[in-house]
């Protein structure tokens, strides 16, 4: 079955749910300890076993398309520098001079074929190799190869630059992404235009991730923003390894789809139905007609907090000044909705969890995606050598 056929069948299921007043359901409910959102020991284990080992979205190809481009950021408390080398490939390294530990580049984007330390002037090629020591006659002899920047595993796929924060680990990105890579490749994100970013702060990373996985909250939490467009509590879930494609039917799905030939439904995302794609453990993508929002969720620095970078891209650059202004307005609006109506709620949930009022939280049959997400976390934290990835 081709990709568009798969999307068409998922659209067909969403239309069925709307007509029958049903939704995609699990066999039963599921409880998760409230401590999973509050316990520092659990948080540290998640960081060590999940976030330090799995490929993480570090940048979009569109953020740094040209040779010499770089992006410096804090990722899980580590200063990371991603560069595009002269041959067009990407590299990642710790953004730390190997002389005295100075941060080489401040957070942000730039273009440089050479990286010069602002403290003592040591210079590195943008692939991390030490090029020169300032005033070497007075400094003394060193082995340059021993003082190259600390490289991190890095690969580019699906229009995204992926980094592993543990030096020396291998990244098999095709195996990690599985069928989600088909989704990304279908959009050709490596050719898109980077519009900008916004930063918001929220509660425990799982509280934030939980919100991306269900539309049960749309009517109550988004009465004037999302709910007028999208049914509340009607979802369709597809698992792609640890990742998910969550379908949300629009209120006009019957009108939109039944006016089209059935075989074309898979080509009409955003025309009657939408998807949120989650890439475990730290990505949520929403393709909208006007602009696409990619959420990069960064846990910490403590169990009760996360920082989320909302990265915005679209197929084409602004046509003119008015279009550019409209893009800025759309980014502001989307980030404000997520910050106020999702992350604001999440912070209140965090307070509730920490109060001790509930020993467990319960996910309903309709919250099937959340159940799968938490079983996936358990899989990665398990010490069982015979463990098997859960099924949706």
């Amino acid at each position: 079955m081709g990709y568009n056929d798969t999307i068409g069948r998922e659209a067909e299921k969403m239309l069925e749910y709307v007509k029958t007043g049903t939704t995609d359901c699990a066999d039963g409910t599921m409880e998760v300890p409230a401590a999973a959102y509050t316990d520092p020991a659990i948080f540290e284990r998640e960081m060590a076993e999940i976030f330090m080992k799995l490929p993480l979205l570090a940048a979009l190809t569109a953020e740094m398309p040209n040779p010499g481009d770089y992006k410096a950021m804090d990722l899980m408390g580590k200063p990371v520098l991603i560069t595009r080398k002269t041959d067009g490939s990407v590299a990642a390294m710790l953004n730390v001079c190997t002389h005295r530990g100075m941060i080489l580049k401040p957070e942000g984007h730039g273009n440089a074929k050479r990286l010069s330390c602002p403290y003592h002037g040591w210079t590195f090629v943008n692939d991390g190799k030490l090029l020169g020591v300032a005033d070497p006659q007075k400094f003394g002899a060193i082995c340059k190869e021993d003082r190259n920047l600390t490289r991190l595993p890095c690969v580019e796929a699906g229009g995204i630059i992926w980094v592993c924060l543990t030096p020396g680990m291998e990244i098999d990105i095709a195996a990690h992404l599985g069928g989600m890579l088909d989704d990304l490749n279908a959009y050709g994100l490596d050719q898109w235009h980077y519009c900008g970013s916004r930063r918001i702060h929220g509660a425990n990373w799982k509280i934030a991730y939980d919100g991306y996985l269900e539309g049960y909250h749309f009517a109550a939490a988004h009465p004037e923003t999302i709910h007028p467009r999208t049914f509340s509590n009607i979802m369709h879930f597809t698992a792609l390894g640890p990742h998910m494609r969550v379908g949300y039917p629009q209120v006009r799905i019957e009108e939109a789809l039944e006016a089209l030939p059935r075989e074309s439904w898979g080509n009409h995302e955003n025309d009657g139905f939408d998807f949120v794609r989650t890439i475990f453990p730290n990505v949520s993508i929403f393709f909208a007609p006007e602009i696409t929002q990619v959420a990069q969720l960064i846990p910490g620095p403590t169990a009760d907090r996360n920082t989320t970078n909302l990265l915005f891209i679209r197929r084409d650059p602004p046509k003119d000044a008015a279009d550019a202004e409209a893009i800025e307005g759309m980014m502001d609006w989307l980030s404000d909705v997520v910050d106020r109506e999702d992350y604001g709620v999440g912070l209140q949930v965090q307070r509730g969890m920490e109060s001790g009022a509930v020993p467990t939280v319960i996910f309903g049959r309709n919250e099937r995606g959340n159940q799968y997400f938490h079983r996936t976390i358990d899989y990665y934290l398990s010490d069982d050598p015979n463990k098997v990835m859960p099924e949706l």
Side-chain angles (χ1 to χ4, degrees):
M1 181 184 298
Y3 176 74
N4 288 333
D5 292 331
T6 298
I7 298 300
R9 291 191 63 171
E10 292 175 20
E12 187 174 44
K13 290 297 294 183
M14 285 185 264
L15 180 59
E16 176 188 327
Y17 297 146
V18 168
K19 287 185 172 183
T20 59
T22 58
T23 190
D24 195 355
C25 282
D27 292 335
T29 61
M30 174 183 175
E31 293 188 49
V32 172
Y37 299 91
T38 62
D39 188 332
I42 294 175
F43 175 77
E44 292 302 325
R45 183 160 172 76
E46 292 166 346
M47 298 307 101
E49 297 301 322
I50 297 175
F51 282 87
M52 293 300 295
K53 293 182 178 180
L54 294 183
L56 305 178
L57 181 154
L60 304 175
T61 296
E63 289 185 77
M64 37 185 301
N66 304 309
D69 285 350
Y70 68 81
K71 179 183 180 181
M73 76 207 82
D74 182 282
L75 194 55
M76 305 295 303
K78 293 185 178 293
V80 174
L81 181 66
I82 305 169
T83 63
R84 189 169 298 281
K85 299 185 288 186
T86 54
D87 65 0
S89 63
V90 292
M93 58 214 77
L94 293 179
N95 184 22
V96 178
C97 179
T98 52
H99 170 215
R100 296 266 293 278
M102 177 64 183
I103 300 298
L104 288 171
K105 290 292 183 183
E107 180 177 352
H109 301 80
N111 185 281
K113 294 182 179 178
R114 302 286 184 266
L115 308 169
S116 181
C117 178
Y119 194 7
H120 294 95
W122 281 31
T123 304
F124 302 82
V125 185
N126 76 342
D127 64 359
K129 293 179 182 177
L130 176 59
L131 182 64
V133 173
D135 208 352
Q137 294 81 9
K138 293 181 181 177
F139 187 84
I142 66 166
C143 176
K144 287 185 178 180
E145 289 75 13
D146 291 342
R147 291 290 167 175
N148 292 334
L149 300 181
T150 301
R151 294 287 295 269
L152 296 173
C154 179
V155 65
E156 190 169 21
I160 294 173
I161 299 169
W162 309 89
V163 169
C164 177
L165 293 177
T166 299
M169 290 195 73
E170 293 186 6
I171 296 179
D172 186 342
I173 198 63
H176 176 66
L177 292 177
M180 186 57 72
L181 188 56
D182 293 335
D183 270 47
L184 299 175
N185 286 337
Y187 276 92
L189 296 184
D190 57 325
Q191 301 298 315
W192 285 34
H193 173 75
Y194 176 64
C195 301
S197 67
R198 300 291 186 269
R199 179 169 292 171
I200 58 178
H201 300 276
N204 178 274
W205 72 280
K206 297 188 294 294
I207 289 176
Y209 207 109
D210 276 333
Y212 293 120
L213 294 175
E214 48 87 2
Y216 187 29
H217 69 284
F218 285 175
H222 303 292
E224 298 178 0
T225 52
I226 296 176
H227 192 226
R229 170 191 173 97
T230 307
F231 283 103
S232 189
N233 202 26
I234 302 180
M235 299 82 71
H236 181 73
F237 303 99
T238 299
L240 302 164
H243 324 298
M244 272 184 277
R245 185 169 57 235
V246 186
Y248 297 100
Q250 297 173 7
V251 295
R252 59 182 297 274
I253 186 171
E254 293 185 67
E255 168 194 349
L257 292 187
E258 293 180 348
L260 298 168
R262 169 60 185 82
E263 63 271 16
S264 73
W265 288 6
N267 299 317
H268 286 272
E269 182 173 349
N270 299 136
D271 187 12
F273 60 95
D274 301 298
F275 289 105
V276 169
R277 292 162 171 88
T278 59
I279 303 178
F280 191 86
N282 77 323
V283 181
S284 167
I285 304 177
F286 175 54
F287 291 99
E290 306 86 357
I291 199 168
T292 288
Q293 175 182 286
V294 181
Q296 177 199 38
L297 200 160
I298 303 173
T302 51
D304 60 337
R305 295 166 60 188
N306 90 81
T307 295
T308 296
N309 296 315
L310 302 176
L311 312 174
F312 295 96
I313 53 176
R314 72 174 200 172
R315 292 185 184 274
D316 302 305
K319 298 186 293 288
D320 49 37
D323 192 24
E325 184 177 355
I327 291 172
E328 290 293 325
M330 180 60 67
M331 291 191 292
D332 286 339
W333 184 82
L334 285 169
S335 62
D336 184 60
V337 168
V338 176
D339 191 21
R340 184 183 66 253
E341 299 181 5
D342 288 303
Y343 279 42
V345 167
L347 289 168
Q348 296 303 308
V349 171
Q350 187 74 46
R351 288 186 61 196
M353 298 280 195
E354 292 173 348
S355 73
V358 289
T360 66
V361 296
I362 185 167
F363 291 102
R365 295 177 59 240
N366 57 325
E367 297 174 300
R368 188 181 183 194
N370 302 82
Q371 294 191 25
Y372 183 71
F373 167 57
H374 286 275
R375 293 202 309 274
T376 299
I377 293 172
D378 291 341
Y379 164 81
Y380 281 105
L381 297 185
S382 172
D383 294 326
D384 183 357
N386 299 313
K387 64 185 179 181
V388 177
M389 177 69 70
E391 295 182 358
L392 184 62

